[in-house]
Amino acid sequence: MDNQKPLVVITGASRGIGLALCRFYLERHCDVVAVVRKTSVDLDALGVEVIEHIDVTRSHDVAELQRTLRGRHIAILINNAGLFHNETLEQMDFEAIEQQLNVNAIAPIRVTHALQDNLSTGSKVAMITSRMGSIADNGSGGYVGYRMSKAALNAASVSLAHELKPKGVALALLHPGFVQTQMVNFAGDVSPEVAANRLAARIAELNLDNTGSFWHANGELLPW
Ligand SMILES: NC(=O)c1ccc[n+]([C@@H]2O[C@H](COP(=O)([O-])OP(=O)(O)OC[C@H]3O[C@@H](n4cnc5c(N)ncnc54)[C@H](OP(=O)(O)O)[C@@H]3O)[C@@H](O)[C@H]2O)c1
């Protein structure tokens, strides 16, 4: 009966929110596939299936991920891998901007494209975005590359939501909150475990009627 378990695929699972999501779905008796560049002691301790050496920005690696998962139905695909820098007019770093566009905006589309044959009626896709990608919500500036990359992810994801809907696949854009991870030097106000619980609650509520929505993990709808 093991192959009846829902399969949850999570990128950026070596630490932080991705690792907490792996633990969450493992404890809910799902089959979890953790997609990482390099595994970690914490991930190995979970005992989930790990697909290593996948840099989500590299087409060769994502093709390898596609081959490894061929023929397996994915219940939930969580595009979580992300990169965060700060650029301002005074402190500009175009290389960092390009990297963030690659990791945060293009890679989730690359991965979803590669795994589309694994998705069918009832499958769900979660894009872990950020409210920093909201243009309407930008009241403080800075973070040029991160904001651009998450806004681009949001724009592209709405297109994917439209395309996936006739296939019975729903997609959500989810802001996890300000989460205590390495990305923010552990300065967040919620733990990765709390964020994972909240994200999973949003994914549970996701359906074909609310597909394409941009939510805070706490359930609040966010402005574009
Ligand atoms: N923490 C927050 O407050 C916050 C707020 C809003 C949104 N988010 C979003 O939440 C998601 C998870 O972030 P986090 O806070 O858990 O950050 P984190 O602790 O820094 O983890 C980021 C994960 O992404 C992976 N990653 C980065 N570049 C990659 C690449 N090229 N290929 C494959 N994996 C890559 C990292 O893997 P390596 O170990 O290989 O580097 C790591 O597993 C991100 O999308 C982030 O933008 C976080």
Side-chain angles (χ1 to χ4, degrees), residues 7 9 33 51 62 65-77 111-125 164 167 169:
L7 177 64
V9 176
V33 171
I51 303 180
V62 175
L65 175 66
Q66 183 185 44
R67 272 192 293 279
T68 307
L69 290 176
R70 185 162 291 148
R72 294 172 70 182
H73 175 259
I74 297 176
I76 302 174
L77 169 62
V111 169
T112 307
H113 172 261
L115 299 181
Q116 61 185 311
D117 288 347
N118 302 72
L119 305 170
S120 59
T121 304
S123 298
K124 300 182 182 189
V125 178
L164 289 169
K167 298 178 181 170
V169 178

Side-chain angles (χ1 to χ4, degrees), residues 45-197:
L46 288 185
V48 302
E49 182 179 345
V50 178
I51 303 180
E52 217 181 354
H53 309 302
I54 307 294
D55 182 325
V56 288
T57 67
R58 296 189 57 202
S59 57
H60 170 273
D61 293 5
V62 175
E64 184 58 34
L65 175 66
Q66 183 185 44
R67 272 192 293 279
T68 307
L69 290 176
R70 185 162 291 148
R72 294 172 70 182
H73 175 259
I74 297 176
I76 302 174
L77 169 62
I78 306 181
N79 286 293
N80 165 77
L83 189 63
F84 177 73
H85 290 291
N86 187 11
E87 308 81 25
T88 62
L89 267 183
E90 285 199 349
Q91 291 272 323
M92 195 49 71
D93 182 343
F94 289 106
E95 205 173 307
I97 291 178
E98 281 182 25
Q99 281 173 353
Q100 287 167 98
L101 285 168
N102 264 325
V103 177
N104 297 342
I106 300 172
I109 309 306
R110 192 188 291 285
V111 169
T112 307
H113 172 261
L115 299 181
Q116 61 185 311
D117 288 347
N118 302 72
L119 305 170
S120 59
T121 304
S123 298
K124 300 182 182 189
V125 178
M127 299 294 198
I128 306 302
T129 182
S130 170
R131 73 183 306 160
M132 288 180 72
S134 167
I135 296 168
D137 192 58
N138 184 352
S140 54
Y143 307 97
V144 169
Y146 191 73
R147 290 187 191 279
M148 283 169 72
S149 64
K150 293 295 191 179
L153 171 64
N154 290 357
S157 297
V158 172
S159 282
L160 295 198
H162 284 299
E163 284 197 57
L164 289 169
K165 189 173 179 175
K167 298 178 181 170
V169 178
L171 178 150
L173 296 102
L174 301 175
H175 167 68
F178 185 32
V179 189
Q180 289 145 354
T181 67
Q182 189 173 310
M183 179 171 282
V184 296
N185 290 322
F186 304 95
D189 51 28
V190 291
S191 67
E193 288 68 34
V194 168
N197 267 274

Side-chain angles (χ1 to χ4, degrees), residues 186-208:
F186 304 95
D189 51 28
V190 291
S191 67
E193 288 68 34
V194 168
N197 267 274
R198 290 178 176 172
L199 290 167
R202 301 288 79 75
I203 293 169
E205 287 172 7
L206 172 63
N207 58 48
L208 294 177

